[in-house]
Amino acid sequence: MARIQLLAVLTMDGCPAETVNQSGQWLNPERYGINELKEDAVRILNENTSLIWLSSQVEKAGNSPIYIIEATNKTTSVINGMIRMRLVDEIFLYLIPVIAGDGCHLFQSFLPESEWVCTGTKRWKDGMVRITYGRKTPRQPVVVFKK
């Protein structure tokens, strides 16, 4: 079964870092190990990802390939759909020491309750923090509707 990872660089109030004026200093993939996460992925998902296609791929994939989606203003609705369908297995949450104040928030209302376990943390001198979470309970097979 495939693993689906969420990569989110967020402000402290939950907005994707790209919404902040100083986002350039925080969106440095080489500095914070983001490139390595993307390189480990078999496929990088985007705002055009079909959740029906993804759920079928997850079930039939062998050898645990990794699919990753990065949180941006464009991908928030797909990510929230993935969370509603309980497709996300691991979250790499990068927090920047900034409060955006307003804007698009990644996690929207009416998400199902789920529990996660912290599997790692890392802190940089500039204030960036990465927290890695894994599902507390294994993902159950997704119901796939066939034509």
Side-chain angles (χ1 to χ4, degrees), residues 50-101:
S50 161
L51 296 180
I52 294 170
W53 170 85
L54 182 59
S55 63
S56 69
Q57 290 299 306
V58 166
E59 291 303 315
K60 65 184 179 182
N63 295 334
S64 299
I66 297 171
Y67 295 82
I68 193 167
I69 188 162
E70 186 170 0
T72 66
N73 289 337
K74 292 181 180 180
T75 60
T76 56
S77 60
V78 172
I79 289 169
N80 280 271
M82 292 167 64
I83 292 172
R84 284 185 187 94
M85 292 179 70
R86 302 181 192 278
L87 290 172
V88 177
D89 299 299
E90 197 169 21
I91 298 173
F92 293 93
L93 181 60
Y94 287 80
L95 288 178
I96 64 172
V98 173
I99 293 177

Side-chain angles (χ1 to χ4, degrees), residues 9-81:
V9 182
L10 303 178
T11 62
M12 292 173 24
D13 55 345
C15 297
E18 68 183 20
T19 63
V20 179
N21 289 337
Q22 318 95 319
S23 64
Q25 88 179 64
W26 301 108
L27 298 175
N28 186 337
E30 296 84 26
R31 183 174 187 179
Y32 303 114
I34 293 171
N35 278 350
E36 288 85 3
L37 292 173
K38 290 180 179 179
E39 287 170 1
D40 288 343
V42 153
R43 185 172 199 138
I44 297 177
L45 308 173
N46 61 36
E47 68 273 11
N48 299 315
T49 300
S50 161
L51 296 180
I52 294 170
W53 170 85
L54 182 59
S55 63
S56 69
Q57 290 299 306
V58 166
E59 291 303 315
K60 65 184 179 182
N63 295 334
S64 299
I66 297 171
Y67 295 82
I68 193 167
I69 188 162
E70 186 170 0
T72 66
N73 289 337
K74 292 181 180 180
T75 60
T76 56
S77 60
V78 172
I79 289 169
N80 280 271

